[in-house]
Amino acid sequence: MFFKSYFDEELAQMSYMIGCQKTGEAIVIDPARDLSPYYETAKKEGFHLAAAAETHIHADFLSGARELANAEKDLKLYLSDEGDDDWKYQYLNEINHQLVKDGDEIYVGNVRLDVIHTPGHTPESLSFLLTDEGGGSSVPMGIFTGDFVFVGDVGRPDLLEKSAGAEGTASKGAADMYQSVQRFKELPDYVQVWPGHGAGSACGKSLGAVPSSTIGYEKENNWALKHTNEKAFAEELLDGQPEPPKYFSMMKKLNKEGPSLEKGREVEEVSLSDTDRYMSEEYMIVDTRPSSEFSNGHLKGTINIPYNRSFTNWAGWLVEYDQKIVVIASKENIPAIKRSLESIGLDDLVGYVDEVEINGYGGLETYASITAEELENKFRGHDDYVIIDVRNDSEWDDDHIEEAQHIMLGKLKESMKDIPSNKTPIVHCQSGMRSAIAASLLQAFGYKDVLNLKGGFSAWKKHKEKVNS
């Protein structure tokens, strides 16, 4: 048997390829939209991509399952037939597929996958228990859990309610999750656990950074597997879940209806002098340079989302799906940026400005950063300023500056009306990275004198501790 895992750092998403070396057939579990890694592995190892399977209808990334099934006409796609009519795939008439339920078996060569219905995160959620019959085993080696069980956590059951507006599903999902966990705990301790996500994903609240585990280890260390009371389990599971990114609701819709197969458009190079024609609601110009460079000089009306591991998440929060996108970036980064945007269905990247054009260009905007000491001694309590905390709810609840106004970064665009137009905003997050994005948004929406707190709330706390010591 052949086994390979793939990890998307930007989405903290795991996918897998399993191959039978005797027959040369392979299956991909939860394929990402960028299919090139699977093709590269198949070519290198001499496999034929015979099948793909999904654990559930994903909310945090755009699946590559439809595209893979369309590209490989003899490939069979295995999809869940569990859950009610709201959670059925809607593009099945165009592909070779088989709907599966609890108790079904999937064979790829001599590798067997037993289908287990594990609702909780979503009603249709499946897990796949792998047995290498070709290697002579009669006992399972591991289980692909999707967003059911993670290392150190379990999938959140509140996404349907918070992202898709399915009222009342969070408590029902928590109850389902408890029952699924009890069933999971009956599997042998030696069985390996291969989850759909690692640390950094918003599909849980305390995911571990280690990519795999075992059932026995999780029984000893995963908080969710230690509970023996359903009510207490549900309360802890629902408490403190992070705000789901805005784009999650669109991912559910697109993955159910079928992601677009049209994502191969050419990205046109745009001269900096021609960007005026993109300054409308139809477009979003995203400057992907580091925040330090952006703050020192940028085009009016642009927002700053630095191209790093958080880029995809914040693009999903802040770019509308009906907007065309122009980026300011280095030319060599354009293919990677395009893949990152397409991984969550932002397919309308129409142009880019080479960032080298920014240097020396006239009429650029800037914004300033202030220290925690300056905030305390010069700005705090001043009627002309308002402190905006753009951290997550849990961070705010843990501690915050007393007179600050809380607007989570992902909701800032829709909350501009709540910021006094006659005051200068001072924005901060925990360390200064998110508040730099917030500062760019505020400037783009007319708050030209915005200030960013250098070092964020962490710097503020250190300053207060020093003063009070």
Side-chain angles (χ1 to χ4, degrees), residues 245-297:
K246 180 180 175 182
Y247 70 90
F248 273 25
S249 59
M250 181 60 75
M251 292 301 92
K252 274 289 184 188
K253 178 178 184 294
L254 293 178
N255 282 323
K256 183 167 69 170
E257 295 176 355
S260 171
L261 300 174
E262 305 295 328
K263 60 178 176 58
R265 71 188 306 164
E266 186 176 346
V267 184
E268 175 188 4
E269 184 169 3
V270 177
S271 171
L272 195 58
S273 58
D274 291 337
T275 52
D276 284 350
R277 63 191 175 105
Y278 300 106
M279 296 293 181
S280 70
E281 291 186 1
E282 183 183 355
Y283 294 89
M284 173 75 83
I285 301 180
V286 180
D287 192 324
T288 67
R289 295 176 299 153
S291 58
S292 57
E293 296 180 25
F294 181 89
S295 64
N296 288 332

Side-chain angles (χ1 to χ4, degrees), residues 298-334:
H298 54 268
L299 285 179
K300 296 177 182 178
T302 60
I303 68 166
N304 181 214
I305 309 178
Y307 189 60
N308 54 34
R309 288 176 63 177
S310 300
F311 174 80
T312 308
N313 176 64
W314 291 118
W317 270 108
L318 302 174
V319 180
E320 304 299 331
Y321 275 83
D322 59 356
Q323 287 183 307
K324 296 180 175 65
I325 306 166
V326 175
V327 295
I328 297 172
S330 64
K331 187 173 183 177
E332 57 266 27
N333 276 348
I334 297 304

Side-chain angles (χ1 to χ4, degrees), residues 318-371:
L318 302 174
V319 180
E320 304 299 331
Y321 275 83
D322 59 356
Q323 287 183 307
K324 296 180 175 65
I325 306 166
V326 175
V327 295
I328 297 172
S330 64
K331 187 173 183 177
E332 57 266 27
N333 276 348
I334 297 304
I337 290 171
K338 185 173 185 290
R339 284 194 299 271
S340 295
L341 292 170
E342 289 173 349
S343 71
I344 57 169
L346 290 170
D347 293 350
D348 284 332
L349 176 60
V350 297
Y352 76 96
V353 177
D354 196 324
E355 64 181 39
V356 298
E357 286 200 54
I358 293 286
N359 298 326
Y361 193 80
L364 298 178
E365 282 188 333
T366 63
Y367 69 81
S369 294
I370 62 171
T371 65

